[in-house]
Amino acid sequence: MVPVPCRVMRTYQETGDTFTLELESLSQDGFSFRPGQFNMLYIHGVGEVPISISGDPHKPESVVHTVRVVGIVTWGIKKLRRRDFLGIRGPFGTPWPVDLAEGNDVVIVAGGIGLAPLRPAIYDILARREKFGKFVLLYGTRGPSDILYFRQLEDWRARFDFDLHVTVDRAFGPWKGNVGVVTTLIPKAHFDPVNTVALICGPEVMMRFTILELLKKGIPEDKIFISMERNMKCGIGLCGHCQFGPHIVCRDGPVFPYSAVRHLLGIREI
Amino acid sequence: MTYRLEANALDRLFKALGTKGYVIFGPTVRDSAVVYDRIESPNDLPAGWADQQTNGSYRLVKTDSPAYFDFTAPPQSWKRLLFPPSLHLFRSHRRNGTLEILEEEHETEPMAFLGVRPCDLRALAILDSVYLNGGASDSTYRQRREKTLIIAVNCTRAGGTCFCASMGTGPEAGAGFDLCLTELVSEHDHYFLVESGSAKGESCVSPLQAREATPQEQTSGREAIRTAAAAMGRSLQTQGLPELLAANLSHPRWDQIARRCLACANCTMVCPTCFCSTVEDSTDLSGAIASRTRLWDSCFTAEFSYIHGGSLRPTIKSRYRQWMTHKLSSWVAQFGSFGCVGCGRCITWCPVGIDLTEEARILRGQAAEHV
């Protein structure tokens, strides 16, 4: 339950309210984690928040988090500069089933900041790209200025082994890309539904509608995975805050197969 | 083997525990209620006090009986001694731009819990399954639990809101005690039956100089417990209950409960198994030293489910549903048992008298009608 002090190596602004934090790895052997897991970040005297890990699992020398400023702790994290310290506990939670997806097509659907916890899975797949079939990323944000990892998306889009589409909910001015919610991208993607694993992360309502569309396409229920968000205080399944029906999200999740949460999604205030 | 210890020789048990270095916690009367606190001798026990409990009401009444353990579940359970309502977790020191975070050390003295009711005994086993479960465990809880001696006392009287017989947790103590007492009072006789449930407990028996109980005395003990089992103030039909609740998350009854529920959190504070906690961070005036404190929390607060943007359970309806379905449904999936032991505290201490056994009955009845 005690955070380990950790030094900031660099920070960079991603969008108006979102920034990425690179921390020095905790031990000699580096920081090892699996895509989809999260850390608890502690700001001295202010508090602690769960933040998913957004870095490359094959680069253990640093710990990378992409953070949106939404409250006093994330505001405290934003104020950190190179060589400042924060406390860190983790990694916690269940990972994306990247290994299970080997031999299948992979469709990743991300909404807004939901791209951050999926990025380690993207790194992981690209690192052994030959082991997977078609690889699709569908990403939707509010507006053009909210697009996360802009340069990186451009680089990825230049690859011939990566089918990547971006859309925005609303657009003004010079935007010439797609406009519409992320589900409108699904018809653009080509994959073999029966042999596809889908990884989804974003607001709950976005995940619900995405699942409906993917099911319509024919992806089996047990091959759809989502990452849930709840109030996580302890990260180790002891404080009770993050319950979602029978699930303790910090321990049993955040990544769940759709089949495990199907009956709970859509029930109000559960 | 079962022994017979004369009631007027109960101080021998106190002496034996004292010699072994235990600090004794047990029932005593304070502020018109039975509370579990440090006790020194049988004189501190609530002799001649019984309680009357019903929805939203608790009264202690003086009786003519010399019985030490005539009370049923008092407001507080043993939880607070193993899982303190407030506990310092760590201190963070900021010096010259660096951070040093040190875990708080907590001294633990061996404790003897004297007078653990069978429902509360089961509640301790449930807390064990939460806090000592697999990889993640609570170190303070573990330290305290390992140093605790449990002396259960079987119930020979049932309270007005008791339903341990329905939950299979009482009125006779199940596994988990070191010693177990049954108090028997008749016109010219007052004694305890004593059984040990562990080597630790057995070692406390010989200093009692108790003789073996006769078969008749043991029969009297069983009969007294049976009388209590037949006199439960409440009952709950548990068969199929987890599935029933899980299938009725959108039932209209939740709206009706919400009209009465004040979301005061009393039920969660008195519950012997509610384990939720939060943390509070604070600093000294200079800001150089920060500390983190763990506090009991309740799923009845709006803040409990807060994530960026707001509370996930803004209505009382969803908070009551969360609590009741957790106790009687999702707990089974999480920890392999109900999160309810039938102590009835949540019924007694609800200021508006909501009775979860009644709510379960209504949900069951109406759900059946809906099918």
Side-chain angles (χ1 to χ4, degrees):
Chain A
M1 287 298 281
V2 179
V4 178
C6 202
R7 193 167 24 204
V8 176
M9 284 160 70
R10 64 180 75 87
T11 66
Y12 33 92
Q13 196 78 22
E14 297 281 1
T15 69
D17 59 3
T18 305
F19 60 96
T20 291
L21 188 70
E22 220 176 302
L23 306 168
E24 211 169 334
S25 184
L26 304 171
S27 70
Q28 295 268 302
D29 306 329
F31 176 78
S32 98
F33 73 100
R34 297 177 68 193
Q37 290 192 296
F38 66 95
N39 283 325
M40 298 297 299
L41 303 186
Y42 168 74
I43 294 291
H44 174 89
V46 181
E48 204 176 31
V49 284
I51 304 284
S52 56
I53 304 161
S54 64
D56 188 339
H58 301 283
K59 289 182 180 163
E61 59 274 15
S62 65
V63 188
V64 178
H65 289 285
T66 300
V67 184
R68 188 148 62 100
V69 180
V70 290
I72 53 163
V73 183
T74 45
W75 183 70
I77 298 172
K78 185 186 160 66
K79 287 206 308 182
L80 294 172
R81 291 293 166 258
R82 193 172 142 80
R83 287 194 235 285
D84 283 347
F85 278 86
L86 82 168
I88 182 169
R89 296 190 291 130
F92 300 122
T94 55
W96 296 111
V98 180
D99 295 339
L100 187 104
E102 280 189 12
N104 288 269
D105 291 354
V106 180
V107 174
I108 290 183
V109 189
I113 187 98
L115 183 57
L118 282 163
R119 190 166 69 160
I122 298 171
Y123 283 129
D124 198 12
I125 289 167
L126 292 178
R128 43 189 167 129
R129 180 66 190 86
E130 71 286 356
K131 297 223 165 74
F132 302 86
K134 293 202 172 70
F135 183 29
V136 179
L137 170 64
L138 308 177
Y139 176 45
T141 68
R142 285 169 294 181
S145 61
D146 299 309
I147 295 173
L148 213 54
Y149 312 136
F150 197 97
R151 283 284 157 78
Q152 195 164 29
L153 287 173
E154 287 185 328
D155 289 348
W156 284 339
R157 205 173 51 167
R159 296 176 64 136
F160 290 107
D161 59 355
F162 195 171
D163 184 16
L164 194 158
H165 303 272
V166 177
T167 182
V168 299
D169 295 342
R170 293 176 301 275
F172 306 98
W175 177 255
K176 297 283 187 282
N178 300 304
V179 178
V181 292
V182 74
T183 47
T184 59
L185 296 178
I186 292 173
K188 294 180 196 286
H190 300 285
F191 51 88
D192 172 19
V194 182
N195 297 309
T196 293
V197 169
L199 314 179
I200 313 170
C201 187
E204 250 175 78
V205 60
M206 166 265 172
M207 293 198 288
R208 278 199 347 252
F209 281 100
T210 303
I211 290 165
L212 286 178
E213 291 302 315
L214 295 179
L215 288 173
K216 262 191 241 168
K217 277 276 213 172
I219 300 184
E221 278 188 1
D222 59 349
K223 287 190 166 184
I224 298 177
F225 295 83
I226 65 171
S227 182
M228 290 296 302
E229 184 174 23
R230 281 296 180 269
N231 182 356
M232 300 188 229
K233 289 259 181 199
C234 74
I236 52 177
L238 294 181
C239 81
H241 281 254
C242 64
Q243 287 178 72
F244 176 51
H247 306 296
I248 295 174
V249 174
C250 74
R251 189 193 66 188
D252 309 334
V255 174
F256 290 98
Y258 170 60
S259 52
V261 294
R262 179 183 44 209
H263 59 294
L264 296 166
L265 284 175
I267 295 180
R268 293 180 73 90
E269 299 185 32
I270 196 75
Chain B
M1 191 153 67
T2 305
Y3 301 88
R4 172 189 164 123
L5 176 70
E6 298 307 320
N8 60 20
L10 190 60
D11 58 332
R12 287 183 204 154
L13 178 60
F14 282 77
K15 289 207 183 80
L17 296 171
T19 310
K20 287 178 179 295
Y22 287 108
V23 178
I24 306 169
F25 287 84
T28 190
V29 174
R30 196 199 304 142
D31 301 334
S32 307
V34 170
V35 296
Y36 295 134
D37 205 346
R38 284 188 72 150
I39 53 172
E40 309 284 342
S41 78
N43 296 332
D44 294 331
L45 294 170
W49 288 102
D51 45 47
Q52 293 177 339
Q53 302 195 34
T54 187
N55 307 43
S57 169
Y58 175 95
R59 293 285 177 276
L60 271 190
V61 288
K62 199 80 182 104
T63 66
D64 297 331
S65 166
Y68 289 112
F69 297 95
D70 225 6
F71 61 93
T72 57
Q76 289 287 355
S77 68
W78 302 92
K79 177 175 78 174
R80 59 192 304 278
L81 296 170
L82 297 171
F83 183 68
S86 171
L87 184 79
H88 289 296
L89 293 181
F90 63 76
R91 237 168 246 270
S92 169
H93 300 260
R94 190 164 59 190
R95 290 191 201 93
N96 308 323
T98 68
L99 212 58
E100 190 186 13
I101 307 176
L102 300 170
E103 188 168 5
E104 294 277 355
E105 300 289 336
H106 297 283
E107 293 276 317
T108 309
E109 45 190 8
M111 295 183 283
F113 291 178
L114 171 59
V116 177
R117 290 305 191 185
C119 56
D120 283 348
L121 183 67
R122 177 77 189 115
L124 292 178
I126 291 174
L127 287 181
D128 289 351
S129 71
V130 174
Y131 291 125
L132 309 178
N133 188 18
S137 73
D138 184 278
S139 56
T140 325
Y141 181 89
R142 181 184 291 279
Q143 282 165 18
R144 291 178 183 223
R145 186 71 173 92
E146 281 169 358
K147 288 193 177 181
T148 301
L149 184 86
I150 306 284
I151 303 164
V153 177
N154 286 324
C155 286
T156 53
R157 191 177 80 83
T161 54
C162 288
F163 57 104
C164 65
S166 299
M167 303 311 293
T169 58
E172 183 171 16
F177 58 79
D178 295 297
L179 277 181
C180 180
L181 312 180
T182 309
E183 185 176 31
L184 289 161
V185 183
S186 65
E187 233 166 277
H188 35 258
D189 221 1
H190 184 193
Y191 61 96
F192 289 95
L193 297 176
V194 183
E195 296 161 76
S196 73
S198 71
K200 258 202 298 185
E202 187 65 43
S203 73
C204 297
V205 172
S206 61
L208 301 179
Q209 299 164 345
R211 70 160 167 81
E212 195 180 334
T214 65
Q216 289 87 338
E217 286 161 351
Q218 295 184 42
T219 308
S220 308
R222 280 193 293 273
E223 268 168 18
I225 295 167
R226 209 173 298 136
T227 312
M232 292 284 138
R234 295 288 189 278
S235 68
L236 180 66
Q237 194 189 331
T238 56
Q239 203 186 3
L241 192 56
E243 299 77 13
L244 178 95
L245 290 175
N248 283 283
L249 297 173
S250 304
H251 198 282
R253 182 66 191 175
W254 302 118
D255 290 297
Q256 287 159 27
I257 304 171
R259 276 187 223 132
R260 298 168 65 204
C261 177
L262 308 173
C264 71
N266 260 18
C267 50
T268 52
M269 295 294 107
V270 295
C271 178
T273 68
C274 270
F275 61 85
C276 289
S277 65
T278 186
V279 287
E280 199 171 82
D281 294 283
S282 57
T283 60
D284 65 350
L285 280 177
S286 73
I289 301 173
S291 64
R292 164 162 282 207
T293 309
R294 184 184 69 192
L295 303 165
W296 282 5
D297 202 4
S298 171
C299 53
F300 279 91
T301 70
E303 208 186 10
F304 185 85
S305 59
Y306 184 88
I307 57 168
H308 61 88
S311 172
L312 286 170
R313 299 191 195 102
T315 65
I316 291 179
K317 163 191 166 179
S318 62
R319 289 179 237 158
Y320 188 90
R321 180 182 65 186
Q322 168 60 28
W323 177 71
M324 185 168 163
T325 55
H326 189 210
K327 290 282 145 190
L328 298 174
S329 178
S330 45
W331 204 294
V332 179
Q334 291 169 0
F335 304 108
S337 73
F338 283 110
C340 172
V341 294
C343 70
R345 287 183 176 95
C346 58
I347 306 171
T348 299
W349 294 96
C350 177
V352 295
I354 296 174
D355 177 345
L356 93 163
T357 66
E358 185 190 0
E359 297 309 328
R361 202 167 290 122
I362 291 168
L363 281 162
R364 192 184 280 281
Q366 290 188 349
E369 280 164 28
H370 284 186
V371 168

